[in-house]
Amino acid sequence: MSEREEMASDGSLNVTLTLRLLMHGKEVGSIIGKKGETVKKMREESGARINISEGSSPERIVTITGPTEGIFRAFSMIAHKFEEDITAAMTNSNVTSNPPVTLRLVFPGSQCGSLIGKGGSKIKEIRETTGAQVQVAGDMLPDSTERAVTISGTPQAITQCVRHICSIMLESPPKGATIPYRPKAIPAGAHAVLAQQQAFALPGQYAFAHQDLTKLHQLAMQHIPLPSLGQSNPTFPGLDASAPTSSQELAIPNDFIGCIIGRQGSKINEIRQVSGAHIKIASATDGSAVRQVTITGSPASISVAQYLISARLSSGLTGLGVL
C-alpha cells in the first residue's frame, strides 16, 4: 500500500482530494489575513494546499488539495475563522444567537444526485447525523456544469459534514467532462452592494448596522434557485416544518421598508410564501430611523427569508443609484 493510500486514523482510506469553495471578497480577505499570515498558518498546520483564484470578481474560488485528513483540518480552521468574524461583528448586537457559519462548495452537477440520494434520503441523513444544514442548488452555476452546495452550522458540524460529502463523492466519481465554474468580474458601476460593503450610509445619513450586514452578507448571492424553494423539493430539504424553529431580528431603514413590503404587501407575502418563515415588521417608532423585522422559522427558512430580503434591499439601493 503506497503512502497515498495509507489508512487514516478513523480506518477510512486516506486519499488525496481536491475541494473547491466559492467565497466573497471579504471572506477571502479574512482567510488570507494581514500580509498573508492567516492562510500561511492554515497551510502549515493543515498540511493541505490552499490556492485562491486571482481576479477582480466579487467571488473567488478557493481550492483545497491534500490528503483527506489535511482537507478536514483546513475546513475546520476556515470554519473557526468565519465563526470568529461573526462573533466579532455581532459583539454590540442585541440578537440572542449568532447566525451560523456558512460555506459554499462547488461540485460537478453529475455528483449531486448521489449527495441528495433517492427522494432526498442521503442529504437528510447527513443533516441528521452532523447537525449541519445542507442545501444543493437546483441550477448549475453560470457557464458551467457545477452546482453550489451550501453548508451552514457550527465549525464542528461543518467539518463532520464535509467528511460525509467527501466519502460520497469518492464513491460516485463525476460522469463525463466537467466545465468548472469561473466567477466573472463585475462590470464597472454594477457592484453588488450588499455582497461587497461592510457598512455604508444611505441618502439621509441612515447607515446599516455592521452586524445586520454581516448576517445578510453570509446569505446573499448564494445562487439558491428561487422557484424550487418552499416546495417539498429534495434539492432544498431544510424547509420542513418539523425542523426546530428559532428567530432572527434585522433592523431595516425606514426608507427601505417599502421595497420589502411591496404594493399592498405583495413582496412580503411572496417572501413569506417562498421561505416558509413567519415575518413580522414592527410598527414605526417615533424618532427611530429603522424598523425591526423579526423572522421566525426553521434555520433554512430564516436563511431563505434573509436572502430574499437582502435581494430586495440590493435592488432598492441600486435603483436609487447607490453603488
Side-chain angles (χ1 to χ4, degrees), residues 14-168:
N14 199 12
V15 293
T16 298
L17 273 180
T18 295
L19 290 183
R20 282 153 50 80
L21 279 159
L22 195 51
M23 289 190 193
H24 297 304
K26 187 181 160 203
E27 294 169 323
V28 170
S30 170
I31 294 302
I32 294 171
K34 276 184 188 159
K35 296 180 182 172
E37 283 169 13
T38 309
V39 75
K40 185 176 177 237
K41 188 178 175 216
M42 284 180 178
R43 285 174 180 138
E44 287 169 359
E45 291 188 12
S46 70
R49 286 200 301 280
I50 303 171
N51 293 323
I52 297 156
S53 67
E54 296 294 324
S56 59
S57 101
E59 289 181 319
R60 309 274 280 280
I61 296 281
V62 177
T63 308
I64 304 174
T65 306
T68 46
E69 289 305 312
I71 283 179
F72 303 144
R73 279 194 294 272
F75 264 89
S76 175
M77 292 170 84
I78 289 169
H80 276 102
K81 180 69 180 79
F82 283 176
E83 187 180 54
E84 279 172 31
D85 295 344
I86 292 170
T87 307
M90 304 288 279
T91 337
N92 302 318
S93 167
N94 54 4
V95 177
T96 45
S97 62
N98 286 355
V101 174
T102 301
L103 294 181
R104 288 181 299 157
L105 291 97
V106 180
F107 288 109
S110 59
Q111 289 183 292
C112 289
S114 308
L115 176 58
I116 293 165
K118 197 172 182 180
S121 57
K122 198 73 199 169
I123 206 164
K124 186 169 184 274
E125 183 191 311
I126 294 172
R127 285 173 56 233
E128 286 170 357
T129 311
T130 65
Q133 286 289 336
V134 189
Q135 304 155 15
V136 179
D139 297 337
M140 303 285 183
L141 288 159
D143 305 320
S144 79
T145 57
E146 293 191 306
R147 296 208 280 185
V149 175
T150 306
I151 308 173
S152 305
T154 63
Q156 293 78 8
I158 284 175
T159 309
Q160 204 183 340
C161 187
V162 171
R163 283 180 181 272
H164 283 264
I165 291 173
C166 282
S167 71
I168 292 166

Side-chain angles (χ1 to χ4, degrees), residues 269-284:
N269 287 337
E270 187 184 300
I271 293 170
R272 286 181 179 126
Q273 197 175 344
V274 170
S275 67
H278 180 78
I279 303 166
K280 186 181 174 211
I281 298 173
S283 307

Side-chain angles (χ1 to χ4, degrees), residues 96-270:
T96 45
S97 62
N98 286 355
V101 174
T102 301
L103 294 181
R104 288 181 299 157
L105 291 97
V106 180
F107 288 109
S110 59
Q111 289 183 292
C112 289
S114 308
L115 176 58
I116 293 165
K118 197 172 182 180
S121 57
K122 198 73 199 169
I123 206 164
K124 186 169 184 274
E125 183 191 311
I126 294 172
R127 285 173 56 233
E128 286 170 357
T129 311
T130 65
Q133 286 289 336
V134 189
Q135 304 155 15
V136 179
D139 297 337
M140 303 285 183
L141 288 159
D143 305 320
S144 79
T145 57
E146 293 191 306
R147 296 208 280 185
V149 175
T150 306
I151 308 173
S152 305
T154 63
Q156 293 78 8
I158 284 175
T159 309
Q160 204 183 340
C161 187
V162 171
R163 283 180 181 272
H164 283 264
I165 291 173
C166 282
S167 71
I168 292 166
M169 296 309 179
L170 284 167
E171 286 165 19
S172 313
K175 298 171 190 72
T178 298
I179 303 166
Y181 173 60
R182 289 191 174 87
K184 284 189 172 60
I186 271 195
H191 284 281
V193 182
L194 285 168
Q196 291 295 293
Q197 305 298 329
Q198 285 194 16
F200 51 89
L202 300 168
Q205 303 309 302
Y206 302 139
F208 273 108
H210 185 192
Q211 64 267 20
D212 295 321
L213 268 178
T214 303
K215 282 182 285 184
L216 296 179
H217 166 83
Q218 280 279 317
L219 296 149
M221 311 307 195
Q222 285 192 352
H223 298 286
I224 300 172
L226 300 185
S228 72
L229 301 181
Q231 302 163 9
S232 55
N233 188 314
T235 59
F236 202 101
L239 293 173
D240 54 21
S242 61
T245 59
S246 56
S247 62
Q248 287 281 7
E249 288 195 351
L250 300 176
I252 307 290
N254 287 341
D255 291 11
F256 289 86
I257 207 78
C259 75
I260 288 165
I261 295 171
R263 190 170 289 175
Q264 295 180 323
S266 59
K267 288 296 166 194
I268 193 74
N269 287 337
E270 187 184 300

